[in-house]
Amino acid sequence: MTKVAVIGAGVIGLSWAKLFVEHGMTVSVTDPRPDLADVVPAGVQVAASVAEAVRDADFVQENGPENLEFKKNLFAELVQEAPAYALLLSSSSAIPSTAFTKGIDGSRVLIGHPFNPPHLIPLVEVVPGEQTSEESVQKAVVFYRSLGRTPVVERKEIPGFVGNRLQAALSREANYLVEQGVVTPEDLDAVVTNSLGIRWATVGPFLGAHLGGGPGGYRHLAEHIGKSMQGLQLGTPSDDPEQLIEAVEKAYGSSTYSALAETRDRKQLAVLTALEEN
Ligand SMILES: NC(=O)c1ccc[n+]([C@@H]2O[C@H](COP(=O)([O-])OP(=O)(O)OC[C@H]3O[C@@H](n4cnc5c(N)ncnc54)[C@H](O)[C@@H]3O)[C@@H](O)[C@H]2O)c1
């Protein structure tokens, strides 16, 4: 049976653990948090240390703090402690693996970056570092496919990879529009979920633009409407997030995390089911 070690049991680690165990894998989790035994999904083993968690592991999925020093130290330990055949994957949102594998053997280390929550959202960005072997890339692709995920291999390392860079571009303008009082956080979210969100669940920005050009396709769009869009001056939000924090807490702070997450999961599952049927 495939054995997976999950290092770090916060938002992402717990969601991965749920997905792994649901796919019949043996899952061992470690995290210094004192309530670890209370938060792990049913059927997941709790390990007292990294060494214990990775014993006999075929795959290690790292989800610790997003901090370069932490990842450097942890991956140096993983290379020593995990079996030589184990693939060592990091969920890092923005740090390329070349940055934390200097001075160690990084041939089986790479990024497997999910979108939250990984037990529901299909994408996993597979990003090899300078030392990662092609065999490791292919093993990661097969592993994530076996979990029903959609791995996309990105051949050039760039901080934030692709998904989070796109998200950052949208968030930047969203933050600016709320700070300027153009819309509230709820109204901005309504604009996205009632337009771009639905469109992007079915066609990406390029196919969407190709269709937006009508029968003339992307060329027509780029040469006509595209020109007026290029002239838009986008905003720069302030460096201090306090105003936005207060606005978002005012919008959503009266609901509990579990209630909001449950609604999100239910709706996302409904979208995924509808897409599978079409
Ligand atoms: N939250 C997201 O939306 C998201 C999405 C994709 C990827 N990620 C990435 O996943 C990783 C984890 O993010 P998160 O949001 O789950 O953070 P989190 O703060 O919820 O969880 C991090 C966990 O790491 C644990 N930890 C600290 N030191 C540890 C150690 N020495 N050994 C093992 N565990 C340790 C903490 O106790 C905590 O439970 C980060 O690299 C992040 O960039 C996050």
Side-chain angles (χ1 to χ4, degrees), residues 153-193:
V153 180
E154 295 166 8
R155 292 289 174 184
K156 193 169 177 179
E157 290 182 303
I158 184 165
F161 314 115
V162 174
N164 274 333
R165 291 181 77 93
L166 293 173
Q167 181 164 255
L170 186 74
S171 294
R172 188 182 170 85
E173 186 63 19
N175 292 352
Y176 174 77
L177 292 169
V178 170
E179 277 180 354
Q180 293 300 311
V182 178
V183 274
T184 62
E186 297 103 305
D187 285 344
L188 187 126
D189 283 352
V191 168
V192 173
T193 55

Side-chain angles (χ1 to χ4, degrees), residues 11-175:
V11 175
I12 295 303
L14 289 175
S15 176
W16 273 129
K18 183 174 158 61
L19 180 76
F20 298 148
V21 85
E22 280 172 0
H23 279 76
M25 297 173 177
T26 303
V27 185
S28 182
V29 176
T30 192
D31 187 309
R33 60 187 286 180
D35 60 347
L36 181 61
D38 302 327
V39 294
V40 293
V44 169
Q45 298 162 9
V46 169
S49 64
V50 168
E52 187 187 323
V54 303
R55 195 171 301 144
D56 304 327
D58 299 295
F59 299 92
V60 177
Q61 184 79 45
E62 177 275 322
N63 323 274
E66 183 72 340
N67 168 304
L68 180 58
E69 276 313 301
F70 170 83
K71 302 219 192 263
K72 266 187 190 161
N73 293 332
L74 184 77
F75 276 85
E77 187 179 0
L78 290 176
V79 165
Q80 293 294 320
E81 299 291 348
Y85 53 79
L87 198 63
L88 309 177
L89 297 148
S90 171
S91 294
S92 174
S93 301
I95 310 173
S97 66
T98 297
F100 53 83
T101 50
K102 290 200 170 72
I104 63 169
D105 173 10
S107 59
R108 56 201 174 104
V109 178
L110 70 169
I111 300 293
H113 171 245
F115 263 59
N116 186 41
H119 69 273
L120 287 178
I121 301 279
L123 178 70
V124 185
E125 293 178 278
V126 172
V127 192
E130 283 170 10
Q131 295 187 56
T132 314
S133 71
E134 187 54 29
E135 187 194 346
S136 297
V137 174
Q138 294 313 320
K139 259 174 93 172
V141 166
V142 170
F143 173 57
Y144 290 126
R145 281 211 185 111
S146 77
L147 293 157
R149 304 300 85 183
T150 304
V152 173
V153 180
E154 295 166 8
R155 292 289 174 184
K156 193 169 177 179
E157 290 182 303
I158 184 165
F161 314 115
V162 174
N164 274 333
R165 291 181 77 93
L166 293 173
Q167 181 164 255
L170 186 74
S171 294
R172 188 182 170 85
E173 186 63 19
N175 292 352

